[in-house]
Amino acid sequence: MRKTPAQRLRKERITAVVYSIFACIGAVFVTSLIFSAIATVIDLSDGAFTVMSSAALCAGCFAASFVAAKRRKRNGLKTGLLCGIIIFAVTLLGGIFFVRSFTVGGFFTKMLIILICSSLGGIIGVNSPQRFR
């Protein structure tokens, strides 16, 4: 039985979301692994750990929106912003649930970091050449 165009579009969207989730988790895991290896060798301050966690979050946001935009092949900025909003919502809810507090400065800083990195990932993902399919 052949799939209708609506079914194919739905499947494309679902696979793009799944691949982007795996890319985000993988990028955060790899950068956290690298930063934890650095932290075991060098004695770091609390500020350095904050920067490292923000960098890991940036890498995850960039990877997720890059993969999603590359799979969709159009609307890179829109795709990146959508990925960023979703990641920000998950991060905010996770922070409220686990930490049980948040600061206004941290809220806007994380939102700005996530949206910028996700937007860049979406733009670069759409404009990068297709090598493999």
Side-chain angles (χ1 to χ4, degrees):
M1 187 166 144
R2 292 192 173 173
K3 293 185 179 181
T4 65
Q7 289 173 331
R8 279 192 303 247
L9 183 64
R10 183 171 184 242
K11 184 180 178 193
E12 282 180 23
R13 287 181 179 166
I14 290 172
T15 56
V17 167
V18 169
Y19 284 148
S20 65
I21 288 170
F22 283 135
C24 180
I25 292 170
V28 168
F29 178 75
V30 168
T31 54
S32 296
L33 191 69
I34 291 168
F35 290 151
S36 64
I38 291 170
T40 58
V41 175
I42 302 170
D43 187 32
L44 297 172
S45 66
D46 290 339
F49 285 115
T50 304
V51 170
M52 286 186 201
S53 66
S54 295
L57 183 62
C58 282
C61 292
F62 182 87
S65 59
F66 181 87
V67 168
K70 190 147 180 105
R71 301 272 312 169
R72 289 198 65 208
K73 300 177 195 141
R74 61 184 182 279
N75 298 333
L77 183 61
K78 183 179 171 184
T79 303
L81 286 174
L82 184 62
C83 284
I85 290 169
I86 292 169
I87 291 171
F88 177 72
V90 169
T91 304
L92 180 67
L93 291 175
I96 290 172
F97 182 72
F98 291 115
V99 180
R100 292 200 168 99
S101 69
F102 67 93
T103 61
V104 176
F107 175 84
F108 286 113
T109 304
K110 271 196 174 96
M111 183 174 66
L112 186 67
I113 287 172
I114 289 171
L115 291 180
I116 288 173
C117 291
S118 296
S119 299
L120 286 175
I123 292 168
I124 293 172
V126 164
N127 293 318
S128 66
Q130 290 285 337
R131 291 203 167 86
F132 305 104
R133 186 70 179 142

